[in-house]
Amino acid sequence: MADPEAEDRKPQSDEARSAFSPPAGMAAPGPAAADEESSTTSEFALPKGLDAPQPAGPEMEGSAFSTPRTYSAKHAPPAFTPATGIPLVSLTKDAPWQDRMRTMLRMPVTERPAPEPVHKEDESGPAVPRVLDLTLRIGELLLAGGEGAEDVETAMFAVCRSYGLDRCEPTVTFTLLSISHQPSLVDDPVTASRTVRRRGTDYTRLAAVYRLVDDLSDPEAAISLEEAYGRLAEMRRNRHPYPGWVLTASGGLLAGAASVLVGGDALVFVAAALGAMLGDRLAWLCAGRGLPEFYQFTVAAMPPAAIGVALTLAHVDVNASAVITGGLFALLPGRALVAGVQDGLTGFYITASARLLEVMYFFVGIVSGVLLVLYFGVKLGTQLNPDAGLHISERPLIQIAASMLLSLTFAVLLQQERSTVLAVTLNGGVAWSVYGAMHYAGGLSPVASTAVAAGLVGLFGQLLSRYRFASALPYTTAAIGPLLPGSATYFGLLSIAQNEVDKGLVSLTKAAALAMAIAIGVNLGSEISRLFLRLPGSSAGGRRAAKRTRGF
């Protein structure tokens, strides 16, 4: 039997020894010392002998949204409330929903009042994702129809609040719609977006969308999500109110009426109408082949210019400039221009830049088509006089009738409801009467006369839209048709084709100034109507502006 003491005296291998084992003759540390050596220390730990302060009672775990322990309601810091206090906003029920929603969009989120009564399908209410999807679909139809960005956000905000989603923030750009809903300060937000890929001009559908939003905003009309989706599907399935041949004929009549405004006679009327209708059919053919709108505008601008050049080469006693100018009136993108300037004036600079860039592309397409025809016409020996536009005969009654016909046909091209055609026709006649009285009789500059006439168009259009709780576009867009700078555009292009670049640029600059005067005048007239009419938030100290930056 082996001796245990002899086994202990044998040398141990390197694996049996450890650098951390205590040497021979020293006692192993006790459990308390081992725990003390192995415990984790920190430079923020309290030294020995110093007791940590204990709270008086149990304290609940706080968060970033909990009230600080040092806060007192009687001695609140002045930073929580402005010196003048937070104004109380009371939304009157008899005001249009556009004004009520626009007022809330232009104020901070913390100052918005509580939502209106909720249209609930059951006790739990509709699902948030479905409400956001419905809101995006409504905003898509409005934005694709040419509505301004602020009006689209107003409609989207109205739909959300009608279903009780008060913490919603809609965002509109030129091709993207998004909306975010945050149930509370500590809950995760729900965000949805939708892309607008196709645009079309159908003011009948636009009016139907506004009626749906008006019904949703009415607290007495409880419309479920299924009913709202059904009405949206019906709007998409509905055919346009006017057939294709009516649109083509309206384009021809519009060009003929525009040629009469710049001094044309009966022969000029017929020639301009034929050129415009031929250009419209060629544009439809290009659209069916899938060509972009740039080339459609280029092709549509060629037939009126070709007819004017052909009549001049045939030595027909006709004002060819009036023929070409009338054809340009049917192509100028006045609707997109007004919407772009309006977005810029209301603070939507990204959308405004995109819209104005689109207008520039359309304008370049028109310029390319007309310049191509005029260049070959000049090479063939056509004698076209750019100064002919300075000798327009004054025929007040004929020009007023032509302006009303132009507005009427423009309204048909915009697919407006038949109930709004008469109002916009009269509005267009009033606009040209004011312009003629100020420019021809009063001797004022065409830019100032155009701005005042466009301001009246915007004012009357906003009044009619408020009376019918509808969009203002059907009452303003067609009425500005007689004011579009068709003659200045044509004479600028003609001067460039005749190698008079400086003179052509001056004329094109005048056309741009007239276009800006139209857009700013329409927007200013709309804002004036809202300024003096009854507004929601009477105790809020006046209507809030879109921004209060004052340049910094």
Side-chain angles (χ1 to χ4, degrees), residues 87-104:
L88 176 64
V89 180
S90 58
L91 301 177
T92 56
K93 298 298 182 180
D94 54 347
W97 63 266
Q98 296 97 321
D99 288 340
R100 289 187 282 121
M101 296 300 107
R102 185 179 290 108
T103 300
M104 283 187 288

Side-chain angles (χ1 to χ4, degrees), residues 131 134-135 138 154-164 213 216-217:
V131 175
L134 175 67
T135 303
I138 291 177
T154 302
M156 295 173 63
F157 195 69
V159 174
C160 288
R161 288 184 65 90
S162 65
Y163 286 102
V213 179
L216 290 175
S217 303

Side-chain angles (χ1 to χ4, degrees), residues 42-53:
S42 171
E43 59 183 5
F44 299 101
L46 295 177
K48 294 182 178 180
L50 182 62
D51 296 333

Side-chain angles (χ1 to χ4, degrees), residues 285-483:
L285 180 61
C286 294
R289 298 293 181 179
L291 289 179
E293 285 186 302
F294 176 85
Y295 301 104
Q296 298 176 27
F297 274 83
T298 302
V299 171
M302 289 183 177
I307 291 178
V309 172
L311 291 176
T312 304
L313 288 175
H315 301 287
V316 179
D317 188 13
V318 67
N319 189 353
S321 300
V323 176
I324 302 176
T325 300
L328 291 179
F329 262 86
L331 299 176
L332 293 178
R335 172 181 60 88
L337 175 66
V338 172
V341 175
Q342 181 181 358
D343 289 341
L345 295 176
T346 52
F348 294 85
Y349 300 113
I350 297 178
T351 308
S353 301
R355 288 185 189 271
L356 294 179
L357 185 62
E358 181 188 40
V359 171
M360 187 193 72
Y361 272 102
F362 291 162
F363 189 76
V364 170
I366 297 172
V367 168
S368 302
V370 176
L371 273 181
L372 183 63
V373 176
L374 291 180
Y375 178 77
F376 284 104
V378 171
K379 289 298 182 180
L380 293 174
T382 307
Q383 299 296 326
L384 297 174
N385 184 14
D387 297 331
L390 303 177
H391 306 288
I392 299 176
S393 59
E394 298 180 13
R395 301 170 295 176
L397 296 181
I398 297 179
Q399 288 178 334
I400 291 176
S403 65
M404 296 178 67
L405 177 61
L406 194 152
S407 299
L408 172 64
T409 53
F410 202 176
V412 174
L413 289 176
L414 294 175
Q415 304 280 1
Q416 292 190 197
E417 292 180 310
R418 293 178 174 85
S419 59
T420 63
V421 171
L422 179 59
V424 74
T425 301
L426 296 176
N427 201 6
V430 171
W432 180 261
S433 300
V434 173
Y435 171 80
M438 295 184 64
H439 178 55
Y440 295 113
L444 296 178
S445 66
V447 177
S449 304
T450 301
V452 175
L456 290 178
V457 168
L459 177 62
F460 293 154
Q462 190 63 227
L463 292 176
L464 290 173
S465 67
R466 290 174 63 93
Y467 175 72
R468 298 192 177 186
F469 290 85
S471 172
L473 287 181
Y475 303 100
T476 58
T477 305
I480 65 174
L483 304 176

Side-chain angles (χ1 to χ4, degrees), residues 225-286:
L225 279 175
E226 283 71 18
E227 294 175 358
Y229 272 110
R231 291 178 60 174
L232 275 181
E234 184 179 358
M235 294 175 196
R236 293 182 178 274
R237 288 195 302 264
N238 283 348
R239 299 174 60 88
H240 296 303
Y242 306 103
W245 66 269
V246 174
L247 299 180
T248 302
S250 299
L253 293 176
L254 188 152
S259 66
V260 173
L261 286 179
V262 294
D265 52 10
L267 182 58
V268 172
F269 182 94
V270 175
L274 290 177
M277 288 189 291
L278 181 58
D280 179 76
R281 288 295 90 190
L282 290 177
W284 276 105
L285 180 61
C286 294

